[in-house]
Amino acid sequence: MRPERQWIRTSGVLAVTAAMVATMVTTATAAGPSEVRTPDAATAIATATTTGWLERPEGRYYLNADGTKKTGWVKSGGAWYYFGSGGLMRTGWVKDGGAWYYLKASGAMATGWVRVGGSWYYLWANGVMATGWAKVGTSWYFFNSNGAMQTGWLQLRSTWYYLSANGPMLTGQHRIEGRLQSFRNDGTWLGLGVLPDHRTGSQLTKPFVVNGVALINAHHPISRDYIPTINKEFLLAPDAHDAYARMVKDAKRAGLTIVWRYGYRSYDTQAKLLASSIAKRGSRQAALRYTAAPGTSEHQLGLAVDVAAPSARGEAFAKTKEFAWLRAHAHEYGFILRYPAGKEHITGIAYEPWHYRYVGVTHAAAFAGASGLTLEEYLGGR
């Protein structure tokens, strides 16, 4: 009869005794030559009692020279293994000393990239699972608190980053979902990238146009020579003028009064306004947050209008019923709030609740409600 492998507890330690092994081997030999020629359970245990691996139905163990089971970390054959408090070799995720490790099906500790459950993880050379920012090779990656590698947009506090489909953090300019986006060298998002604009010289007498919409800003200027056809009542281009007149009339029917303040401004007038703003704010950089440089103002297009309410203008206009009405209905007339709050990093201009831009009803439909969408975002780049 083939002997069974058994554990004996000696001084609180589980072991296979030498006497027990000798008995097993004798019994196995007595069973006949065939038993001796074929390695059996007793022979395997006899070998294991010296030191090393022991295979059991429930898993693998690693024995000391005295037959006791090892626990914790063990290095064997150049690889690290982990054994639980009962001596059983572990596989999969293991937490030890506050850090997570991953053990392959063979029990060997993994290092480098591993894919588990559809997600990628990175284990440092010492086996510890990476979390947060980690530089692997020449690229930066971000791993969440569970260790899974992140892809796509990532917001940390008020800062945005973008991780490519295979993990590395993006820097420079990249087209994402059809829109050109810009990132600093540290990965922080600058906003939309600059749309290619190859106009030079006399070509600047016409505005930069994307999908039928003129885009003018610091990246897409127009020259002093650009002078649109202007209706004198509201100082707006014909289509914008007619739409604005209808909008004001309908607001009046709703019991509200939208006060016109500014429409078309020439290149030279804009230059004077910027000079005044610089004198007031102390530097050109500070002034440009509130006053566009000549050649970069939408007012020169004849498509922008600044408005107010009888009771308030400037930033205070945002608290009026007239402002609320415009946010709800301006798109119906083809107008959009051009410089929404929180989008200065895209538009280059601070929040202006009074500045509305005519783009036509079809395009303005995308800006319905308080969406916060900018014209740059809508057109796919700055």
Side-chain angles (χ1 to χ4, degrees):
M1 177 178 180
R2 191 184 301 273
E4 296 296 327
R5 291 171 286 181
Q6 300 179 35
W7 289 104
I8 292 178
R9 185 174 294 277
T10 305
S11 299
V13 178
L14 286 171
V16 179
T17 66
M20 175 179 165
V21 172
T23 301
M24 289 178 177
V25 173
T26 300
T27 304
T29 304
S34 61
E35 293 284 333
V36 176
R37 286 192 295 272
T38 303
D40 61 8
T43 304
I45 295 177
T47 302
T49 57
T50 302
T51 185
W53 292 100
L54 173 66
E55 302 284 347
R56 294 278 292 173
E58 68 273 17
R60 305 179 75 195
Y61 299 84
Y62 196 91
L63 305 182
N64 295 302
D66 61 359
T68 57
K69 295 183 293 183
K70 286 184 177 293
T71 60
W73 290 103
V74 174
K75 192 171 186 179
S76 174
W80 284 96
Y81 299 81
Y82 187 83
F83 300 85
S85 58
L88 186 65
M89 183 192 78
R90 298 285 300 276
T91 60
W93 290 108
V94 169
K95 190 174 185 180
D96 180 55
W100 283 95
Y101 302 80
Y102 188 78
L103 307 171
K104 303 174 186 177
S106 65
M109 181 188 77
T111 60
W113 290 102
V114 297
R115 188 173 177 84
V116 181
S119 296
W120 283 99
Y121 300 81
Y122 189 80
L123 295 308
W124 298 112
N126 63 356
V128 174
M129 179 190 76
T131 59
W133 287 111
K135 190 175 185 179
V136 181
T138 59
S139 299
W140 283 95
Y141 298 79
F142 188 85
F143 302 88
N144 66 21
S145 59
N146 294 325
M149 183 189 78
Q150 298 294 283
T151 60
W153 288 105
L154 169 70
Q155 184 178 19
L156 298 177
R157 296 195 179 125
S158 60
T159 303
W160 285 92
Y161 303 83
Y162 192 85
L163 295 310
S164 62
N166 58 350
M169 178 191 77
L170 296 187
T171 60
Q173 288 195 348
H174 299 268
R175 190 165 290 278
I176 300 171
E177 298 176 351
R179 295 175 178 174
L180 198 62
Q181 308 283 359
S182 291
F183 303 87
R184 294 187 178 93
N185 289 335
D186 64 0
T188 53
W189 182 52
L190 279 168
L192 295 181
V194 179
L195 291 168
D197 184 354
H198 305 295
R199 296 171 306 137
T200 59
S202 62
Q203 294 173 326
L204 294 176
T205 59
K206 294 183 179 180
F208 178 66
V209 176
V210 181
N211 296 330
V213 178
L215 176 63
I216 182 170
N217 55 30
H219 304 291
H220 307 289
I222 51 178
S223 71
R224 173 186 275 105
D225 299 325
Y226 180 78
I227 302 175
T229 300
I230 294 298
N231 182 293
K232 293 183 178 180
E233 182 181 3
F234 296 121
L235 296 183
L236 292 171
D239 288 347
H241 169 272
D242 294 345
Y244 178 76
R246 290 195 304 273
M247 184 167 70
V248 171
K249 185 177 180 180
D250 288 347
K252 192 72 174 178
R253 288 174 178 168
L256 303 170
T257 300
I258 296 175
V259 179
W260 177 92
R261 298 200 68 223
Y262 300 108
Y264 169 76
R265 284 201 293 260
S266 69
Y267 184 102
D268 293 333
T269 298
Q270 192 66 32
K272 293 176 182 178
L273 287 175
L274 179 60
S276 176
S277 184
I278 292 173
K280 176 182 178 180
R281 302 183 187 281
S283 71
R284 181 181 178 85
Q285 182 178 2
L288 287 174
R289 291 189 61 228
Y290 304 93
T291 307
T296 68
S297 170
E298 290 195 322
H299 287 285
Q300 192 179 344
L301 291 176
L303 298 175
V305 59
D306 290 349
V307 298
S311 61
R313 65 180 185 177
E315 292 185 4
F317 177 65
K319 299 179 180 180
T320 66
K321 293 181 180 179
E322 283 79 2
F323 174 77
W325 188 90
L326 284 174
R327 295 299 282 131
H329 300 286
H331 67 280
E332 298 169 5
Y333 305 88
F335 284 91
I336 64 172
L337 179 66
R338 182 63 179 90
Y339 304 117
K343 295 298 183 74
E344 182 179 347
H345 60 292
I346 296 176
T347 64
I349 299 293
Y351 177 42
E352 292 190 354
W354 62 85
H355 184 108
Y356 282 80
R357 161 68 193 276
Y358 181 77
V359 295
V361 174
T362 300
H363 294 292
F367 297 78
S371 66
L373 182 68
T374 67
L375 187 58
E376 285 83 358
E377 290 173 300
Y378 174 69
L379 297 178
R382 292 189 294 172

